[in-house]
Amino acid sequence: MARWDPWQEMEALRREIDRAFESAGLRFPSLLRSGLWPGRGERGYPPVNVYEDKDAFYIEVLAPGVDPNSVTITALRNSVTISGEKPRAVTGKTEAIHREERSSGKFSRRIELPVEVDEGKAKAEYRNGVLLVTLPKAEQAKPKAIAVQVG
């Protein structure tokens, strides 16, 4: 006898709605879609802000309590992976834990960028619980000015 799973039904409905929007030419980022179903979508940890200027991408990673020496950052072409481990907040001898809402454990977050980066010039700095990763754009990805010839 099959067991009814309301979350599975809702996920199937979400996929049907996504297909309807995609067939109409509309597409939404997966983060928005999965964020509606607690515990069902991608884990968005650690939360990040990604922005750019003409020379580089900047990824701000909110990671309080993470030992910066436990963080590994790898970049290849236009993809960056940030992984590490956040230690458990409750340490020492306890008789009972009544509430433990601060997450802990291993994490890995992969971020796709719109253009390739120069991995050799990337750098990262951790300050006040925020990791800032700076990824210079690859030279071939930077916009080039084209001189107009007057004939």
Side-chain angles (χ1 to χ4, degrees):
M1 183 162 119
R3 185 171 169 215
W4 181 66
D5 181 354
W7 293 110
Q8 190 175 20
E9 295 289 324
M10 292 173 73
E11 180 65 20
L13 176 61
R14 185 195 59 80
R15 283 194 302 266
E16 285 295 319
I17 292 170
D18 285 348
R19 276 194 285 274
F21 278 110
E22 287 173 7
S23 67
L26 300 171
R27 190 175 177 109
F28 299 102
S30 63
L31 181 62
L32 293 175
R33 290 180 292 174
S34 62
L36 296 174
W37 316 116
R40 289 292 175 168
E42 308 166 3
R43 283 195 65 187
Y45 188 85
V48 299
N49 288 341
V50 180
Y51 50 94
E52 69 177 295
D53 61 20
K54 66 180 178 61
D55 295 320
F57 289 98
Y58 305 93
I59 302 173
E60 288 180 339
V61 182
L62 186 59
V66 173
D67 178 3
N69 295 319
S70 76
V71 176
T72 302
I73 303 167
T74 57
L76 181 63
R77 292 187 286 274
N78 68 329
S79 177
V80 179
T81 302
I82 301 167
S83 57
E85 184 166 6
K86 184 176 179 182
R88 193 170 180 204
V90 178
T91 58
K93 192 173 184 178
T94 58
E95 289 189 21
I97 297 173
H98 295 281
R99 187 175 293 234
E100 188 174 15
E101 296 179 349
R102 294 169 51 193
S103 63
S104 61
K106 293 183 179 182
F107 63 86
S108 183
R109 186 90 191 258
R110 184 172 169 211
I111 300 160
E112 298 291 328
L113 301 170
V115 298
E116 291 188 19
V117 296
D118 185 347
E119 304 96 347
K121 294 180 180 174
K123 62 181 182 178
E125 179 182 1
Y126 185 86
R127 184 180 303 163
N128 298 327
V130 177
L131 176 69
L132 175 61
V133 183
T134 303
L135 299 149
K137 294 178 182 176
E139 284 301 319
Q140 67 270 17
K142 291 181 182 176
K144 306 284 187 288
I146 300 171
V148 176
Q149 302 291 324
V150 178

